[in-house]
Amino acid sequence: MDLATLIGIVLSFGLVAAAIVTGGSPLIFISIPSMLIVLGGTIGATMVNYPLANILGLMGVIKKTFFSTLESPAEIIEKFMDYANRARREGILSLEPLLREIEDPFLRKGLQLTVDGLEPQTIEEIMETEISYLESRHEVGSEICSVLGAFAPAMGMIGTVIGLVQMLQTMSDPSTIGPAMAVALLTTFYGAVLANLVFIPMAGKLKTRSKEEVLRKEMILNGILSISKGENPRIIEEKLNSFLPPRERRQAE
């Protein structure tokens, strides 16, 4: 569980809810028509904008904002030092029994290609393609969240216009002015909350997660290529340490 995401959501919604409660009854901020306009309109417009497969896959992408299962760079370096020393002492084929124990599909595939004896250039081309498509998939998820963040306030404005039109048409009946004005204002409120507290922050977190994952993939690729070339374990360690900030680099050495 990513504590920053959890704390951010609890803090932001908690403070908004506290402000609502201290100002009066929270029930006045509940409007079914407003919710239908904002949620229905936002989801519908997004489905028009993207293929259904991308929309259905969004939940899997959003999980990355709450859960992070990435290995730390220091752990990756430690693994590759073990692989490099083993390959140097016993040969590349000594890595084959380890493949069954590796959970990361990217790392397992890279080592499998190395054990199979492919040229470093061929390995690099295959693995770089995987990284490229990984970035593309992550980019789509982030874009969808950004689009949701753009549509939500727009649908809120549409709801505001609907409420104002209803209010102006029934000015002769004072009892209808209040409900129509509530729809007008609450749709804007709902749209702003969804955009600025949910969708836009999620898009930013997904971009950060994507950069972190790509960095680790690049580290793994660099280590695999170094092993396939038979480089000295010390050189491999220095190459992988170059991916880390100086403080973490010293700890990993």
Side-chain angles (χ1 to χ4, degrees):
M1 174 68 72
D2 181 65
L3 288 180
T5 301
L6 182 62
I7 293 173
I9 289 178
V10 172
L11 182 64
S12 58
F13 277 96
L15 291 177
V16 170
I20 290 174
V21 171
T22 55
S25 173
L27 296 178
I28 63 175
F29 283 86
I30 298 176
S31 171
I32 301 302
S34 298
M35 292 180 184
L36 293 176
I37 291 171
V38 175
L39 291 176
T42 300
I43 295 173
T46 305
M47 291 181 70
V48 173
N49 200 68
Y50 288 95
L52 182 60
N54 290 343
I55 301 297
L56 295 177
L58 182 61
M59 291 306 299
V61 176
I62 288 178
K63 287 181 182 178
K64 293 183 178 293
T65 64
F66 293 95
F67 302 98
S68 177
T69 57
L70 298 177
E71 285 186 301
S72 69
E75 291 174 335
I76 294 175
I77 293 176
E78 184 178 350
K79 279 187 176 181
F80 272 98
M81 291 306 298
D82 177 54
Y83 298 154
N85 286 318
R86 186 185 296 262
R88 188 174 180 84
R89 292 192 310 266
E90 307 172 21
I92 290 292
L93 292 178
S94 64
L95 300 178
E96 188 168 13
L98 302 177
L99 295 175
R100 293 187 295 271
E101 304 172 3
I102 299 175
E103 296 181 359
D104 184 352
F106 186 81
L107 173 57
R108 185 170 59 248
K109 181 175 183 178
L111 286 180
Q112 181 67 68
L113 295 175
T114 302
V115 171
D116 290 343
L118 272 69
E119 292 293 327
Q121 182 177 355
T122 304
I123 296 175
E124 183 175 13
E125 291 175 357
I126 295 173
M127 305 303 283
E128 284 287 1
T129 301
E130 290 232 4
I131 294 175
S132 177
Y133 277 98
L134 173 73
E135 288 183 287
S136 297
R137 291 193 299 272
H138 288 182
E139 185 177 355
V140 170
S142 177
E143 283 181 1
I144 293 177
C145 285
S146 296
V147 168
L148 287 167
F151 283 153
M155 295 309 302
M157 292 302 299
I158 291 175
T160 298
V161 173
I162 292 173
L164 291 176
V165 169
Q166 292 175 341
M167 183 186 70
L168 292 174
Q169 287 184 338
T170 58
M171 289 290 287
S172 58
D173 185 2
S175 65
T176 63
I177 294 177
M181 179 60 73
V183 172
L185 297 179
L186 286 175
T187 48
T188 299
F189 172 72
Y190 291 156
V193 168
L194 285 176
N196 295 287
L197 298 186
V198 180
F199 297 134
I200 294 176
M202 279 188 175
K205 180 57 71 71
L206 288 174
K207 289 180 181 178
T208 301
R209 284 277 185 266
S210 178
K211 291 179 181 178
E212 291 175 351
E213 189 164 352
V214 169
L215 173 65
R216 283 156 176 76
K217 300 296 190 216
E218 293 288 353
M219 286 185 67
I220 290 172
L221 174 58
N222 198 292
I224 288 171
L225 293 177
S226 296
I227 290 176
S228 68
K229 295 174 184 177
E231 293 181 352
N232 187 287
R234 180 61 181 172
I235 295 176
I236 296 176
E237 182 181 23
E238 291 298 330
K239 283 186 175 182
L240 298 183
N241 272 328
S242 65
F243 285 88
L244 303 178
R247 183 182 302 177
E248 294 183 23
R249 192 180 306 167
R250 287 193 296 272
Q251 293 174 354
E253 291 176 352

